[in-house]
Amino acid sequence: DVQLQESGPGLVKPSQSLSLTCTVTGYSITSDYAWNWIRQFPGNKLEWMGYISYSGSTSYNPSLKSRISITRDTSKNQFFLQLNSVTTEDTATYYCARSLKTGTYFDYWGQGTTLTVSS
Amino acid sequence: DIVLTQSPATLSVTPGDRVSLSCRASQSISNYLHWYQQKSHESPRLLIKYASQSISGIPSRFSGSGSGTDFTLSINSVETEDFGMYFCQQSNSWYTFGGGTKLEIK
């Protein structure tokens, strides 16, 4: 069965960069699908951040495009989120999730990792 | 951006009730609308895809309908395990989510 697991630092200072890892088991991230990052703010609002596809192409939410980068390590079956110049408004639970590449839904999700931005 | 508005924000029901949750899009999205359930301290779980298509492993009491701008998630005979948050999500243009409906026990 496909499983996704996020990991990260838990706490980041304002103006720094955050880096999160999603480790996928049960499916190769180079076989098919898109591999997404989605975050949920306090108060429950969900925001799609971007994805890296099985081929390595990326797509980002325009609201984040200047700050975000999604990369991968195919040898470890992992993909990564980097978000630059964070503020307290980036405090959220971050999920990785799988989807078809376009026009679709998220069928497998990780359990989420909470990130707090605070000095 | 396509804005999804869910109503009501909170719905208080008794187990055994039939309930309908609404999701309205700010412009037509055809049937590119998907529903999720999220229980406390868990990640979202896909319930319905493309407005009305069922998902393997999801109980048959969950159903979806609608197209264009107005969509409904129905739960036929709510069970205690169904209480939690419900979100809609569109994939017609980028991806956005509704603000959610909280289903609680009356």
Side-chain angles (χ1 to χ4, degrees):
Chain A
D1 199 19
V2 181
Q3 295 188 356
L4 297 87
Q5 176 70 59
E6 306 87 348
S7 57
L11 178 66
V12 176
K13 296 184 185 304
S15 80
Q16 292 185 341
S17 295
L18 75 84
S19 294
L20 300 177
T21 299
C22 182
T23 301
V24 180
T25 55
Y27 196 88
S28 171
I29 63 172
T30 62
S31 291
D32 202 347
Y33 296 100
W35 303 90
N36 299 262
W37 286 100
I38 297 165
R39 63 183 177 177
Q40 186 167 33
F41 300 102
N44 290 322
K45 178 184 175 182
L46 288 158
E47 178 183 64
W48 172 76
M49 302 181 72
Y51 70 67
I52 186 164
S53 77
Y54 68 94
S55 65
S57 63
T58 55
S59 180
Y60 301 131
N61 188 321
S63 70
L64 298 169
K65 198 166 186 178
S66 62
R67 297 199 291 140
I68 189 173
S69 177
I70 298 176
T71 57
R72 65 182 183 173
D73 183 336
T74 58
S75 68
K76 296 181 179 179
N77 217 37
Q78 295 175 326
F79 63 105
F80 312 102
L81 170 69
Q82 180 172 319
L83 189 65
N84 300 321
S85 305
V86 299
T87 72
T88 56
E89 294 187 352
D90 294 309
T91 293
T93 297
Y94 286 74
Y95 295 99
C96 53
R98 189 184 82 166
S99 70
L100 294 175
K101 187 175 177 181
T102 57
T104 187
Y105 48 87
F106 307 101
D107 59 353
Y108 287 93
W109 297 64
Q111 66 184 36
T113 186
T114 300
L115 185 94
T116 301
V117 180
S118 175
S119 56
Chain B
D1 283 5
I2 296 176
V3 176
L4 297 178
T5 302
Q6 291 188 244
S7 61
T10 303
L11 189 57
S12 299
V13 302
T14 301
D17 287 351
R18 175 179 172 84
V19 301
S20 294
L21 285 63
S22 173
C23 179
R24 178 164 292 178
S26 59
Q27 64 189 75
S28 179
I29 56 172
S30 185
N31 68 336
Y32 290 97
L33 191 284
H34 321 290
W35 290 95
Y36 301 84
Q37 177 194 63
Q38 185 178 31
K39 298 181 181 180
S40 183
H41 304 296
E42 295 184 3
S43 55
R45 177 175 70 148
L46 181 66
L47 293 178
I48 297 288
K49 63 182 181 180
Y50 298 116
S52 61
Q53 296 181 19
S54 60
I55 301 296
S56 175
I58 300 300
S60 59
R61 63 181 179 275
F62 291 93
S63 64
S65 63
S67 67
T69 60
D70 290 308
F71 302 87
T72 300
L73 174 71
S74 298
I75 310 174
N76 188 23
S77 190
V78 171
E79 299 190 6
T80 54
E81 66 185 31
D82 299 336
F83 294 97
M85 291 293 297
Y86 289 82
F87 295 95
C88 55
Q89 173 242 324
Q90 67 81 23
S91 57
N92 182 74
S93 175
W94 300 103
Y95 306 107
T96 56
F97 292 84
T101 290
K102 181 179 181 181
L103 188 66
E104 64 178 26
I105 301 175
K106 184 181 289 185

